[in-house]
Amino acid sequence: MNGLAEVPERALRGLLLSLSRRRTIGRLATHLPITRPMVARFVAGEELPEALAAIEVLRTRGLRWTVDVLGEAVTSVELATAAADRYVATIAALAEHGLEVNVSLKLSQMGLLVDRAACRANVERILAAAAARSGFVRIDMEDHTMVEATLALWRELRVAYPESGVVIQAALRRSAADVESLIAEGARVRLCKGAYKEPPAVAFVTKAEVDRSFAALMERLLLAGRYPAIATHDLRLIRRAIVIAREHGIGPERFEFQMLYGVRRDLQERLVREGWRVRVYVPYGREWYPYFMRRLAERPANVLFLLRSVLGELGAGLQAGRRRGAGSGSVPGGE
Ligand code: FDA
């Protein structure tokens, strides 16, 4: 354990992000019950009713939500269409339960890497379903190879569906220029740091550089953007946003903070108590592996928690096996 703690954070982050792309490990992990308690911290459940229950809890706490039906990088049009179907069903269920319709989706899940026309049709179907219920659709941003295509497709669709928005990652060097264009277009932007492993040619490497970029883009969006979403758990940046808002008379109705399900719940509720709007990103679904690995990568201490819970459960399993073995005469853990 101590050895692990000494592994440089950035290397560990890189390793976890590489693992997040390994489909075979993902398939294995999603079948292992021992990872579940840790996963449940970040993922609202595998099925829609669990997500709806989690949202009810958020509602009672004065929080808002955006729902992510987990999945990404699909390999066929059929899988993309099935993912879009799940979104349409989610939107219908939110509306039926009297819950605000707000979803976040990834274009690689909608088939962008397989068939652009099919992807466009899938997203359009979701946008139409949301628009029919006065809802909002956010297009998440994936790694830097997807940025150009994501912005282009969203720009085509937003003409008919203005209640939609995109995401800008402070880690990318291009983002200052993107933010200026998006402000000029009156776009709704979610600003985040960026969750992917990127080459230094296109992205800032150190945390200090990423944080500086975030602070600068955040200020531009707060001062000139249209209802920006400040998506971070970084207290220093959140405090900075509040200072900017107060100095410039920007009321709580002009922007919102956004945070991930299961991360800094204390801070989410504190901000609500202080009168700010906070929206929680609520992921649900069976394809949680890449999302979960990115959450581990964001905070290496999470890896220690996971290891402890896995070791704890293995230990409990062995003890139970020994007890069973003592009673029945079978080999401990031999099933
Ligand atoms: P940072 O990583 O510096 O963390 C600040 C503090 O927050 C940490 O010290 C810790 O206390 C806490 N924290 C952060 N992550 C944690 C975790 N996983 N577990 C426990 N504690 C944690 N990215 C992307 O590339 N495309 C996207 O579309 C989105 N969308 C998105 C939506 C929303 C609502 C949020 C909040 C984030 C995203 N992200 C994203 C993810 C984002 O890019 C980033 O990886 C995470 O938000 C972590 O960065 P922070 O800004 O929190 O800062």
PDB file of all heavy atoms in Angstrom, residues 41-42 140-142 167 169 190 192-196 207 211 231-234 258-260 263-264 281 295-296 298-299 302, ligand 1:
ATOM      1  N   ARG A  41     -20.763   4.411  -5.439  1.00  0.00           N
ATOM      2  CA  ARG A  41     -20.530   5.775  -4.973  1.00  0.00           C
ATOM      3  C   ARG A  41     -20.661   6.776  -6.130  1.00  0.00           C
ATOM      4  O   ARG A  41     -21.145   7.889  -5.946  1.00  0.00           O
ATOM      5  CB  ARG A  41     -19.125   5.878  -4.364  1.00  0.00           C
ATOM      6  CG  ARG A  41     -18.847   7.275  -3.931  1.00  0.00           C
ATOM      7  CD  ARG A  41     -17.494   7.506  -3.354  1.00  0.00           C
ATOM      8  NE  ARG A  41     -17.236   8.933  -3.401  1.00  0.00           N
ATOM      9  CZ  ARG A  41     -16.095   9.487  -3.151  1.00  0.00           C
ATOM     10  NH1 ARG A  41     -15.073   8.747  -2.808  1.00  0.00           N
ATOM     11  NH2 ARG A  41     -15.960  10.788  -3.233  1.00  0.00           N
ATOM     12  N   PHE A  42     -20.224   6.367  -7.317  1.00  0.00           N
ATOM     13  CA  PHE A  42     -20.188   7.292  -8.459  1.00  0.00           C
ATOM     14  C   PHE A  42     -21.308   7.078  -9.467  1.00  0.00           C
ATOM     15  O   PHE A  42     -21.526   7.931 -10.320  1.00  0.00           O
ATOM     16  CB  PHE A  42     -18.847   7.143  -9.198  1.00  0.00           C
ATOM     17  CG  PHE A  42     -17.650   7.514  -8.377  1.00  0.00           C
ATOM     18  CD1 PHE A  42     -16.755   6.548  -7.930  1.00  0.00           C
ATOM     19  CD2 PHE A  42     -17.424   8.839  -8.049  1.00  0.00           C
ATOM     20  CE1 PHE A  42     -15.662   6.895  -7.167  1.00  0.00           C
ATOM     21  CE2 PHE A  42     -16.329   9.198  -7.289  1.00  0.00           C
ATOM     22  CZ  PHE A  42     -15.442   8.232  -6.840  1.00  0.00           C
ATOM     23  N   ASP A 140     -21.694  16.037 -24.060  1.00  0.00           N
ATOM     24  CA  ASP A 140     -20.427  15.941 -23.319  1.00  0.00           C
ATOM     25  C   ASP A 140     -19.255  16.041 -24.290  1.00  0.00           C
ATOM     26  O   ASP A 140     -19.408  15.794 -25.492  1.00  0.00           O
ATOM     27  CB  ASP A 140     -20.327  14.573 -22.616  1.00  0.00           C
ATOM     28  CG  ASP A 140     -21.218  14.481 -21.389  1.00  0.00           C
ATOM     29  OD1 ASP A 140     -21.707  15.500 -20.897  1.00  0.00           O
ATOM     30  OD2 ASP A 140     -21.416  13.335 -20.915  1.00  0.00           O
ATOM     31  N   MET A 141     -18.080  16.367 -23.771  1.00  0.00           N
ATOM     32  CA  MET A 141     -16.901  16.401 -24.639  1.00  0.00           C
ATOM     33  C   MET A 141     -15.991  15.225 -24.297  1.00  0.00           C
ATOM     34  O   MET A 141     -15.730  14.949 -23.133  1.00  0.00           O
ATOM     35  CB  MET A 141     -16.139  17.721 -24.472  1.00  0.00           C
ATOM     36  CG  MET A 141     -15.105  17.946 -25.544  1.00  0.00           C
ATOM     37  SD  MET A 141     -15.803  17.883 -27.229  1.00  0.00           S
ATOM     38  CE  MET A 141     -16.461  19.542 -27.407  1.00  0.00           C
ATOM     39  N   GLU A 142     -15.548  14.539 -25.364  1.00  0.00           N
ATOM     40  CA  GLU A 142     -14.656  13.390 -25.163  1.00  0.00           C
ATOM     41  C   GLU A 142     -13.224  13.828 -25.464  1.00  0.00           C
ATOM     42  O   GLU A 142     -12.922  15.016 -25.378  1.00  0.00           O
ATOM     43  CB  GLU A 142     -15.156  12.235 -26.018  1.00  0.00           C
ATOM     44  CG  GLU A 142     -16.599  11.887 -25.594  1.00  0.00           C
ATOM     45  CD  GLU A 142     -17.265  10.843 -26.446  1.00  0.00           C
ATOM     46  OE1 GLU A 142     -16.862   9.681 -26.360  1.00  0.00           O
ATOM     47  OE2 GLU A 142     -18.199  11.195 -27.200  1.00  0.00           O
ATOM     48  N   VAL A 167     -19.623  21.199 -24.155  1.00  0.00           N
ATOM     49  CA  VAL A 167     -18.669  21.231 -23.036  1.00  0.00           C
ATOM     50  C   VAL A 167     -17.300  21.664 -23.568  1.00  0.00           C
ATOM     51  O   VAL A 167     -16.893  21.254 -24.648  1.00  0.00           O
ATOM     52  CB  VAL A 167     -18.548  19.820 -22.395  1.00  0.00           C
ATOM     53  CG1 VAL A 167     -17.512  19.830 -21.273  1.00  0.00           C
ATOM     54  CG2 VAL A 167     -19.902  19.357 -21.870  1.00  0.00           C
ATOM     55  N   GLN A 169     -13.194  21.895 -22.392  1.00  0.00           N
ATOM     56  CA  GLN A 169     -12.238  21.373 -21.405  1.00  0.00           C
ATOM     57  C   GLN A 169     -11.075  22.355 -21.253  1.00  0.00           C
ATOM     58  O   GLN A 169     -10.365  22.644 -22.233  1.00  0.00           O
ATOM     59  CB  GLN A 169     -11.715  20.017 -21.882  1.00  0.00           C
ATOM     60  CG  GLN A 169     -12.801  18.964 -21.998  1.00  0.00           C
ATOM     61  CD  GLN A 169     -12.476  17.901 -23.031  1.00  0.00           C
ATOM     62  OE1 GLN A 169     -11.888  18.190 -24.063  1.00  0.00           O
ATOM     63  NE2 GLN A 169     -12.856  16.669 -22.758  1.00  0.00           N
ATOM     64  N   ARG A 190     -20.714  24.273 -20.832  1.00  0.00           N
ATOM     65  CA  ARG A 190     -20.269  23.726 -19.538  1.00  0.00           C
ATOM     66  C   ARG A 190     -18.737  23.731 -19.578  1.00  0.00           C
ATOM     67  O   ARG A 190     -18.136  23.203 -20.516  1.00  0.00           O
ATOM     68  CB  ARG A 190     -20.752  22.305 -19.331  1.00  0.00           C
ATOM     69  CG  ARG A 190     -20.145  21.662 -18.065  1.00  0.00           C
ATOM     70  CD  ARG A 190     -20.210  20.135 -18.108  1.00  0.00           C
ATOM     71  NE  ARG A 190     -21.556  19.628 -18.016  1.00  0.00           N
ATOM     72  CZ  ARG A 190     -21.933  18.441 -18.514  1.00  0.00           C
ATOM     73  NH1 ARG A 190     -21.057  17.670 -19.151  1.00  0.00           N
ATOM     74  NH2 ARG A 190     -23.174  18.030 -18.403  1.00  0.00           N
ATOM     75  N   CYS A 192     -15.313  22.394 -17.920  1.00  0.00           N
ATOM     76  CA  CYS A 192     -14.730  21.430 -16.982  1.00  0.00           C
ATOM     77  C   CYS A 192     -13.218  21.408 -17.209  1.00  0.00           C
ATOM     78  O   CYS A 192     -12.710  22.059 -18.127  1.00  0.00           O
ATOM     79  CB  CYS A 192     -15.331  20.042 -17.193  1.00  0.00           C
ATOM     80  SG  CYS A 192     -14.901  19.303 -18.773  1.00  0.00           S
ATOM     81  N   LYS A 193     -12.507  20.666 -16.367  1.00  0.00           N
ATOM     82  CA  LYS A 193     -11.048  20.631 -16.542  1.00  0.00           C
ATOM     83  C   LYS A 193     -10.646  19.704 -17.685  1.00  0.00           C
ATOM     84  O   LYS A 193      -9.688  19.965 -18.390  1.00  0.00           O
ATOM     85  CB  LYS A 193     -10.380  20.177 -15.237  1.00  0.00           C
ATOM     86  CG  LYS A 193     -10.416  21.245 -14.156  1.00  0.00           C
ATOM     87  CD  LYS A 193      -9.513  20.890 -12.978  1.00  0.00           C
ATOM     88  CE  LYS A 193      -9.686  21.906 -11.859  1.00  0.00           C
ATOM     89  NZ  LYS A 193      -8.880  21.582 -10.662  1.00  0.00           N
ATOM     90  N   GLY A 194     -11.369  18.592 -17.852  1.00  0.00           N
ATOM     91  CA  GLY A 194     -11.010  17.611 -18.892  1.00  0.00           C
ATOM     92  C   GLY A 194     -10.568  16.323 -18.227  1.00  0.00           C
ATOM     93  O   GLY A 194      -9.675  16.323 -17.378  1.00  0.00           O
ATOM     94  N   ALA A 195     -11.216  15.218 -18.628  1.00  0.00           N
ATOM     95  CA  ALA A 195     -11.010  13.955 -17.919  1.00  0.00           C
ATOM     96  C   ALA A 195     -10.158  12.958 -18.695  1.00  0.00           C
ATOM     97  O   ALA A 195      -9.992  11.829 -18.249  1.00  0.00           O
ATOM     98  CB  ALA A 195     -12.382  13.326 -17.622  1.00  0.00           C
ATOM     99  N   TYR A 196      -9.603  13.359 -19.842  1.00  0.00           N
ATOM    100  CA  TYR A 196      -8.948  12.372 -20.701  1.00  0.00           C
ATOM    101  C   TYR A 196      -7.432  12.546 -20.692  1.00  0.00           C
ATOM    102  O   TYR A 196      -6.913  13.612 -20.366  1.00  0.00           O
ATOM    103  CB  TYR A 196      -9.505  12.467 -22.121  1.00  0.00           C
ATOM    104  CG  TYR A 196     -10.975  12.115 -22.161  1.00  0.00           C
ATOM    105  CD1 TYR A 196     -11.947  13.081 -21.877  1.00  0.00           C
ATOM    106  CD2 TYR A 196     -11.387  10.822 -22.415  1.00  0.00           C
ATOM    107  CE1 TYR A 196     -13.296  12.759 -21.865  1.00  0.00           C
ATOM    108  CE2 TYR A 196     -12.738  10.489 -22.410  1.00  0.00           C
ATOM    109  CZ  TYR A 196     -13.686  11.460 -22.133  1.00  0.00           C
ATOM    110  OH  TYR A 196     -15.018  11.131 -22.115  1.00  0.00           O
ATOM    111  N   LYS A 207      -1.185  20.458 -13.302  1.00  0.00           N
ATOM    112  CA  LYS A 207      -2.441  20.887 -12.681  1.00  0.00           C
ATOM    113  C   LYS A 207      -2.501  22.417 -12.614  1.00  0.00           C
ATOM    114  O   LYS A 207      -3.555  23.019 -12.842  1.00  0.00           O
ATOM    115  CB  LYS A 207      -2.554  20.271 -11.281  1.00  0.00           C
ATOM    116  CG  LYS A 207      -3.794  20.719 -10.534  1.00  0.00           C
ATOM    117  CD  LYS A 207      -4.009  19.936  -9.263  1.00  0.00           C
ATOM    118  CE  LYS A 207      -4.922  20.669  -8.272  1.00  0.00           C
ATOM    119  NZ  LYS A 207      -6.217  21.077  -8.810  1.00  0.00           N
ATOM    120  N   ASP A 211      -5.515  24.593 -14.078  1.00  0.00           N
ATOM    121  CA  ASP A 211      -6.305  25.437 -13.178  1.00  0.00           C
ATOM    122  C   ASP A 211      -6.294  26.901 -13.636  1.00  0.00           C
ATOM    123  O   ASP A 211      -7.313  27.600 -13.576  1.00  0.00           O
ATOM    124  CB  ASP A 211      -5.772  25.338 -11.737  1.00  0.00           C
ATOM    125  CG  ASP A 211      -6.107  23.973 -11.111  1.00  0.00           C
ATOM    126  OD1 ASP A 211      -6.754  23.148 -11.787  1.00  0.00           O
ATOM    127  OD2 ASP A 211      -5.699  23.746  -9.951  1.00  0.00           O
ATOM    128  N   ALA A 231     -18.347  23.498 -14.008  1.00  0.00           N
ATOM    129  CA  ALA A 231     -18.340  22.098 -13.563  1.00  0.00           C
ATOM    130  C   ALA A 231     -16.999  21.745 -12.933  1.00  0.00           C
ATOM    131  O   ALA A 231     -16.038  21.400 -13.619  1.00  0.00           O
ATOM    132  CB  ALA A 231     -18.636  21.177 -14.750  1.00  0.00           C
ATOM    133  N   THR A 232     -16.947  21.861 -11.628  1.00  0.00           N
ATOM    134  CA  THR A 232     -15.734  21.512 -10.893  1.00  0.00           C
ATOM    135  C   THR A 232     -16.064  21.267  -9.426  1.00  0.00           C
ATOM    136  O   THR A 232     -17.090  21.746  -8.931  1.00  0.00           O
ATOM    137  CB  THR A 232     -14.669  22.631 -11.001  1.00  0.00           C
ATOM    138  OG1 THR A 232     -13.480  22.217 -10.326  1.00  0.00           O
ATOM    139  CG2 THR A 232     -15.140  23.944 -10.390  1.00  0.00           C
ATOM    140  N   HIS A 233     -15.174  20.496  -8.755  1.00  0.00           N
ATOM    141  CA  HIS A 233     -15.286  20.331  -7.301  1.00  0.00           C
ATOM    142  C   HIS A 233     -14.154  21.066  -6.614  1.00  0.00           C
ATOM    143  O   HIS A 233     -13.921  20.891  -5.423  1.00  0.00           O
ATOM    144  CB  HIS A 233     -15.223  18.849  -6.931  1.00  0.00           C
ATOM    145  CG  HIS A 233     -16.016  17.986  -7.851  1.00  0.00           C
ATOM    146  ND1 HIS A 233     -15.495  17.443  -8.995  1.00  0.00           N
ATOM    147  CD2 HIS A 233     -17.313  17.614  -7.800  1.00  0.00           C
ATOM    148  CE1 HIS A 233     -16.437  16.748  -9.625  1.00  0.00           C
ATOM    149  NE2 HIS A 233     -17.542  16.837  -8.932  1.00  0.00           N
ATOM    150  N   ASP A 234     -13.439  21.838  -7.393  1.00  0.00           N
ATOM    151  CA  ASP A 234     -12.243  22.527  -6.893  1.00  0.00           C
ATOM    152  C   ASP A 234     -12.679  23.777  -6.123  1.00  0.00           C
ATOM    153  O   ASP A 234     -13.127  24.774  -6.707  1.00  0.00           O
ATOM    154  CB  ASP A 234     -11.367  22.887  -8.100  1.00  0.00           C
ATOM    155  CG  ASP A 234     -10.003  23.407  -7.688  1.00  0.00           C
ATOM    156  OD1 ASP A 234      -9.914  24.089  -6.646  1.00  0.00           O
ATOM    157  OD2 ASP A 234      -9.043  23.134  -8.423  1.00  0.00           O
ATOM    158  N   GLN A 258     -21.828  22.816 -11.408  1.00  0.00           N
ATOM    159  CA  GLN A 258     -22.178  21.413 -11.676  1.00  0.00           C
ATOM    160  C   GLN A 258     -21.132  20.510 -11.039  1.00  0.00           C
ATOM    161  O   GLN A 258     -19.941  20.827 -11.049  1.00  0.00           O
ATOM    162  CB  GLN A 258     -22.251  21.159 -13.191  1.00  0.00           C
ATOM    163  CG  GLN A 258     -23.401  21.910 -13.858  1.00  0.00           C
ATOM    164  CD  GLN A 258     -23.678  21.446 -15.271  1.00  0.00           C
ATOM    165  OE1 GLN A 258     -22.904  20.694 -15.858  1.00  0.00           O
ATOM    166  NE2 GLN A 258     -24.792  21.890 -15.832  1.00  0.00           N
ATOM    167  N   MET A 259     -21.595  19.418 -10.488  1.00  0.00           N
ATOM    168  CA  MET A 259     -20.676  18.439  -9.870  1.00  0.00           C
ATOM    169  C   MET A 259     -21.139  17.032 -10.195  1.00  0.00           C
ATOM    170  O   MET A 259     -22.265  16.824 -10.635  1.00  0.00           O
ATOM    171  CB  MET A 259     -20.623  18.638  -8.358  1.00  0.00           C
ATOM    172  CG  MET A 259     -20.053  19.986  -7.972  1.00  0.00           C
ATOM    173  SD  MET A 259     -19.714  20.118  -6.219  1.00  0.00           S
ATOM    174  CE  MET A 259     -19.846  21.896  -6.048  1.00  0.00           C
ATOM    175  N   LEU A 260     -20.235  16.087  -9.962  1.00  0.00           N
ATOM    176  CA  LEU A 260     -20.531  14.700 -10.291  1.00  0.00           C
ATOM    177  C   LEU A 260     -21.235  14.005  -9.121  1.00  0.00           C
ATOM    178  O   LEU A 260     -20.943  14.293  -7.945  1.00  0.00           O
ATOM    179  CB  LEU A 260     -19.237  13.948 -10.621  1.00  0.00           C
ATOM    180  CG  LEU A 260     -18.452  14.507 -11.818  1.00  0.00           C
ATOM    181  CD1 LEU A 260     -17.114  13.773 -11.951  1.00  0.00           C
ATOM    182  CD2 LEU A 260     -19.244  14.386 -13.107  1.00  0.00           C
ATOM    183  N   VAL A 263     -19.505  12.948  -5.627  1.00  0.00           N
ATOM    184  CA  VAL A 263     -18.266  13.698  -5.363  1.00  0.00           C
ATOM    185  C   VAL A 263     -18.605  15.006  -4.627  1.00  0.00           C
ATOM    186  O   VAL A 263     -19.444  15.769  -5.076  1.00  0.00           O
ATOM    187  CB  VAL A 263     -17.509  14.024  -6.670  1.00  0.00           C
ATOM    188  CG1 VAL A 263     -16.238  14.812  -6.378  1.00  0.00           C
ATOM    189  CG2 VAL A 263     -17.176  12.744  -7.436  1.00  0.00           C
ATOM    190  N   ARG A 264     -17.951  15.223  -3.508  1.00  0.00           N
ATOM    191  CA  ARG A 264     -18.117  16.437  -2.693  1.00  0.00           C
ATOM    192  C   ARG A 264     -19.603  16.774  -2.428  1.00  0.00           C
ATOM    193  O   ARG A 264     -20.047  17.906  -2.646  1.00  0.00           O
ATOM    194  CB  ARG A 264     -17.405  17.631  -3.348  1.00  0.00           C
ATOM    195  CG  ARG A 264     -15.887  17.546  -3.374  1.00  0.00           C
ATOM    196  CD  ARG A 264     -15.211  17.373  -2.013  1.00  0.00           C
ATOM    197  NE  ARG A 264     -15.658  18.264  -0.963  1.00  0.00           N
ATOM    198  CZ  ARG A 264     -15.027  19.384  -0.617  1.00  0.00           C
ATOM    199  NH1 ARG A 264     -13.922  19.732  -1.235  1.00  0.00           N
ATOM    200  NH2 ARG A 264     -15.467  20.108   0.379  1.00  0.00           N
ATOM    201  N   TYR A 281     -24.431  15.674 -11.980  1.00  0.00           N
ATOM    202  CA  TYR A 281     -24.354  14.787 -13.150  1.00  0.00           C
ATOM    203  C   TYR A 281     -24.601  13.374 -12.656  1.00  0.00           C
ATOM    204  O   TYR A 281     -23.808  12.822 -11.885  1.00  0.00           O
ATOM    205  CB  TYR A 281     -22.958  14.946 -13.730  1.00  0.00           C
ATOM    206  CG  TYR A 281     -22.679  14.264 -15.048  1.00  0.00           C
ATOM    207  CD1 TYR A 281     -22.738  14.968 -16.247  1.00  0.00           C
ATOM    208  CD2 TYR A 281     -22.296  12.936 -15.095  1.00  0.00           C
ATOM    209  CE1 TYR A 281     -22.434  14.363 -17.454  1.00  0.00           C
ATOM    210  CE2 TYR A 281     -21.987  12.326 -16.297  1.00  0.00           C
ATOM    211  CZ  TYR A 281     -22.072  13.047 -17.474  1.00  0.00           C
ATOM    212  OH  TYR A 281     -21.756  12.453 -18.668  1.00  0.00           O
ATOM    213  N   ARG A 295     -13.110   8.399 -12.922  1.00  0.00           N
ATOM    214  CA  ARG A 295     -13.300   8.949 -11.556  1.00  0.00           C
ATOM    215  C   ARG A 295     -12.157   8.504 -10.647  1.00  0.00           C
ATOM    216  O   ARG A 295     -11.700   9.259  -9.805  1.00  0.00           O
ATOM    217  CB  ARG A 295     -14.646   8.501 -10.960  1.00  0.00           C
ATOM    218  CG  ARG A 295     -15.876   8.864 -11.762  1.00  0.00           C
ATOM    219  CD  ARG A 295     -16.145  10.346 -11.897  1.00  0.00           C
ATOM    220  NE  ARG A 295     -15.348  11.131 -12.828  1.00  0.00           N
ATOM    221  CZ  ARG A 295     -15.576  11.254 -14.150  1.00  0.00           C
ATOM    222  NH1 ARG A 295     -16.552  10.621 -14.719  1.00  0.00           N
ATOM    223  NH2 ARG A 295     -14.804  12.044 -14.892  1.00  0.00           N
ATOM    224  N   LEU A 296     -11.703   7.263 -10.831  1.00  0.00           N
ATOM    225  CA  LEU A 296     -10.556   6.808 -10.032  1.00  0.00           C
ATOM    226  C   LEU A 296      -9.329   7.649 -10.369  1.00  0.00           C
ATOM    227  O   LEU A 296      -8.559   8.051  -9.497  1.00  0.00           O
ATOM    228  CB  LEU A 296     -10.245   5.340 -10.313  1.00  0.00           C
ATOM    229  CG  LEU A 296     -11.200   4.283  -9.791  1.00  0.00           C
ATOM    230  CD1 LEU A 296     -10.619   2.895 -10.020  1.00  0.00           C
ATOM    231  CD2 LEU A 296     -11.480   4.469  -8.300  1.00  0.00           C
ATOM    232  N   GLU A 298      -9.105  10.624 -11.298  1.00  0.00           N
ATOM    233  CA  GLU A 298      -9.143  12.010 -10.814  1.00  0.00           C
ATOM    234  C   GLU A 298      -8.620  12.138  -9.399  1.00  0.00           C
ATOM    235  O   GLU A 298      -8.204  13.211  -8.980  1.00  0.00           O
ATOM    236  CB  GLU A 298     -10.584  12.527 -10.860  1.00  0.00           C
ATOM    237  CG  GLU A 298     -10.979  12.995 -12.233  1.00  0.00           C
ATOM    238  CD  GLU A 298     -12.466  12.899 -12.497  1.00  0.00           C
ATOM    239  OE1 GLU A 298     -13.220  12.620 -11.546  1.00  0.00           O
ATOM    240  OE2 GLU A 298     -12.846  13.078 -13.649  1.00  0.00           O
ATOM    241  N   ARG A 299      -8.692  11.058  -8.658  1.00  0.00           N
ATOM    242  CA  ARG A 299      -8.257  11.154  -7.270  1.00  0.00           C
ATOM    243  C   ARG A 299      -7.620   9.826  -6.875  1.00  0.00           C
ATOM    244  O   ARG A 299      -8.316   8.882  -6.520  1.00  0.00           O
ATOM    245  CB  ARG A 299      -9.463  11.466  -6.374  1.00  0.00           C
ATOM    246  CG  ARG A 299      -9.058  11.826  -4.979  1.00  0.00           C
ATOM    247  CD  ARG A 299     -10.193  12.546  -4.266  1.00  0.00           C
ATOM    248  NE  ARG A 299      -9.878  12.693  -2.863  1.00  0.00           N
ATOM    249  CZ  ARG A 299     -10.322  11.882  -1.911  1.00  0.00           C
ATOM    250  NH1 ARG A 299     -11.092  10.853  -2.196  1.00  0.00           N
ATOM    251  NH2 ARG A 299      -9.989  12.103  -0.653  1.00  0.00           N
ATOM    252  N   ASN A 302      -8.783   7.389  -4.362  1.00  0.00           N
ATOM    253  CA  ASN A 302      -9.901   6.490  -4.640  1.00  0.00           C
ATOM    254  C   ASN A 302      -9.415   5.074  -4.910  1.00  0.00           C
ATOM    255  O   ASN A 302     -10.113   4.105  -4.638  1.00  0.00           O
ATOM    256  CB  ASN A 302     -10.694   6.975  -5.865  1.00  0.00           C
ATOM    257  CG  ASN A 302     -11.487   8.231  -5.568  1.00  0.00           C
ATOM    258  OD1 ASN A 302     -11.684   8.579  -4.414  1.00  0.00           O
ATOM    259  ND2 ASN A 302     -11.940   8.911  -6.608  1.00  0.00           N
TER     260      ASN A 302
HETATM  261  P1  FDA B   1      -9.725  18.341  -9.473  1.00  0.00           P
HETATM  262  O1  FDA B   1      -9.536  17.076 -10.216  1.00  0.00           O
HETATM  263  O2  FDA B   1      -8.545  19.235  -9.297  1.00  0.00           O
HETATM  264  O3  FDA B   1     -10.380  18.016  -8.082  1.00  0.00           O
HETATM  265  C1  FDA B   1     -10.635  18.990  -7.106  1.00  0.00           C
HETATM  266  C2  FDA B   1     -11.109  18.283  -5.841  1.00  0.00           C
HETATM  267  O4  FDA B   1     -12.378  17.679  -6.095  1.00  0.00           O
HETATM  268  C3  FDA B   1     -10.216  17.131  -5.410  1.00  0.00           C
HETATM  269  O5  FDA B   1      -9.192  17.577  -4.590  1.00  0.00           O
HETATM  270  C4  FDA B   1     -11.196  16.227  -4.692  1.00  0.00           C
HETATM  271  O6  FDA B   1     -11.459  16.711  -3.403  1.00  0.00           O
HETATM  272  C5  FDA B   1     -12.458  16.397  -5.499  1.00  0.00           C
HETATM  273  N1  FDA B   1     -12.579  15.383  -6.542  1.00  0.00           N
HETATM  274  C6  FDA B   1     -12.469  15.566  -7.881  1.00  0.00           C
HETATM  275  N2  FDA B   1     -12.704  14.417  -8.546  1.00  0.00           N
HETATM  276  C7  FDA B   1     -12.949  13.473  -7.604  1.00  0.00           C
HETATM  277  C8  FDA B   1     -13.284  12.096  -7.665  1.00  0.00           C
HETATM  278  N3  FDA B   1     -13.389  11.446  -8.818  1.00  0.00           N
HETATM  279  N4  FDA B   1     -13.465  11.440  -6.491  1.00  0.00           N
HETATM  280  C9  FDA B   1     -13.387  12.068  -5.307  1.00  0.00           C
HETATM  281  N5  FDA B   1     -13.082  13.396  -5.206  1.00  0.00           N
HETATM  282  C10 FDA B   1     -12.874  14.097  -6.324  1.00  0.00           C
HETATM  283  N6  FDA B   1     -14.803  15.901 -18.421  1.00  0.00           N
HETATM  284  C11 FDA B   1     -14.712  15.817 -19.764  1.00  0.00           C
HETATM  285  O7  FDA B   1     -13.609  15.605 -20.271  1.00  0.00           O
HETATM  286  N7  FDA B   1     -15.817  15.951 -20.554  1.00  0.00           N
HETATM  287  C12 FDA B   1     -17.042  16.209 -20.030  1.00  0.00           C
HETATM  288  O8  FDA B   1     -18.009  16.339 -20.778  1.00  0.00           O
HETATM  289  C13 FDA B   1     -17.163  16.311 -18.619  1.00  0.00           C
HETATM  290  N8  FDA B   1     -18.354  16.564 -18.017  1.00  0.00           N
HETATM  291  C14 FDA B   1     -18.393  16.816 -16.668  1.00  0.00           C
HETATM  292  C15 FDA B   1     -19.599  17.218 -16.080  1.00  0.00           C
HETATM  293  C16 FDA B   1     -19.626  17.581 -14.739  1.00  0.00           C
HETATM  294  C17 FDA B   1     -20.912  18.034 -14.135  1.00  0.00           C
HETATM  295  C18 FDA B   1     -18.435  17.542 -13.964  1.00  0.00           C
HETATM  296  C19 FDA B   1     -18.409  17.981 -12.551  1.00  0.00           C
HETATM  297  C20 FDA B   1     -17.271  17.111 -14.542  1.00  0.00           C
HETATM  298  C21 FDA B   1     -17.242  16.734 -15.873  1.00  0.00           C
HETATM  299  N9  FDA B   1     -16.070  16.264 -16.461  1.00  0.00           N
HETATM  300  C22 FDA B   1     -16.005  16.153 -17.835  1.00  0.00           C
HETATM  301  C23 FDA B   1     -14.945  15.834 -15.612  1.00  0.00           C
HETATM  302  C24 FDA B   1     -13.932  16.925 -15.403  1.00  0.00           C
HETATM  303  O9  FDA B   1     -13.243  17.169 -16.597  1.00  0.00           O
HETATM  304  C25 FDA B   1     -12.905  16.541 -14.321  1.00  0.00           C
HETATM  305  O10 FDA B   1     -12.217  15.387 -14.714  1.00  0.00           O
HETATM  306  C26 FDA B   1     -13.513  16.300 -12.943  1.00  0.00           C
HETATM  307  O11 FDA B   1     -14.550  17.201 -12.685  1.00  0.00           O
HETATM  308  C27 FDA B   1     -12.453  16.468 -11.821  1.00  0.00           C
HETATM  309  O12 FDA B   1     -11.923  17.754 -11.872  1.00  0.00           O
HETATM  310  P2  FDA B   1     -12.210  18.921 -10.804  1.00  0.00           P
HETATM  311  O13 FDA B   1     -12.598  20.122 -11.606  1.00  0.00           O
HETATM  312  O14 FDA B   1     -13.184  18.499  -9.809  1.00  0.00           O
HETATM  313  O15 FDA B   1     -10.802  19.259 -10.198  1.00  0.00           O
END
